[in-house]
Amino acid sequence: SEDGGLGIFNPDMFASEVAEEIKTYRFLDLEGKDIEVCVNCVHEENQFIESFVSRVVWPSSEELAQYFCSAPEKVKGLKVLELGSGTGLCALVVAKLGAASVLLTDYSDEAIDVIRKSILRNELIDKCQVSKL
């Protein structure tokens, strides 16, 4: 068999299409102001499927976004580059916190598409640009 006889090969793991969803994330800044970001993504159950890795919101992205909300001075007025943006959650939060501009990048065409949709959804076209790695 294709899995070396282990009996665990699941061809569905390599499916090219998974339904996209829109998730809303809310963070509080230092002043207690609600920072809301909506991102296009795929469900986290798909995180181990290579073709969907960049379109899952990883817990580390949420934690980093929360960190910047607690320290907005680290990005306010600066130009920010995010390598491997995935869904763009953290970078979009940084844009809402007052970064002068944000460049979001990823290697996957699908991730770039997700990022573009999320930039438009969050009305950040004036602050955010996307580039493929």
Side-chain angles (χ1 to χ4, degrees):
S1 79
E2 293 183 47
D3 62 6
L6 298 174
I8 58 171
F9 181 74
N10 178 358
D12 292 338
M13 283 185 63
F14 303 99
S16 61
E17 293 299 318
V18 168
E20 223 174 75
E21 56 186 54
I22 299 165
K23 290 179 96 174
T24 301
Y25 292 85
R26 288 184 175 82
F27 304 93
L28 291 178
D29 70 7
L30 285 176
E31 299 168 356
K33 180 182 166 195
D34 190 36
I35 306 294
E36 182 178 292
V37 173
C38 298
V39 294
N40 290 59
C41 57
V42 296
H43 194 272
E44 55 269 4
E45 71 186 13
N46 298 298
Q47 67 184 341
F48 297 113
I49 302 172
E50 184 178 352
S51 60
F52 304 121
V53 166
S54 60
R55 293 183 285 157
V56 172
V57 177
W58 290 86
S60 55
S61 179
E62 293 178 71
E63 288 298 319
L64 190 55
Q66 184 58 60
Y67 167 77
F68 283 121
C69 285
S70 68
E73 71 281 359
K74 296 203 180 282
V75 295
K76 191 170 184 93
L78 299 178
K79 294 179 180 180
V80 176
L81 166 65
E82 185 177 37
L83 299 172
S85 299
T87 62
L89 175 64
C90 186
L92 296 173
V93 168
V94 163
K96 287 194 172 198
L97 288 170
S101 64
V102 181
L103 176 59
L104 297 90
T105 66
D106 209 285
Y107 73 96
S108 159
D109 290 329
E110 293 84 1
I112 295 296
D113 183 52
V114 161
I115 293 168
R116 283 189 176 118
K117 290 176 189 174
S118 295
I119 289 170
L120 290 171
R121 181 173 308 286
N122 289 280
E123 300 177 354
L124 291 169
I125 194 80
D126 58 326
K127 283 193 170 194
C128 296
Q129 294 181 334
V130 184
S131 181
K132 185 171 179 184
L133 290 175

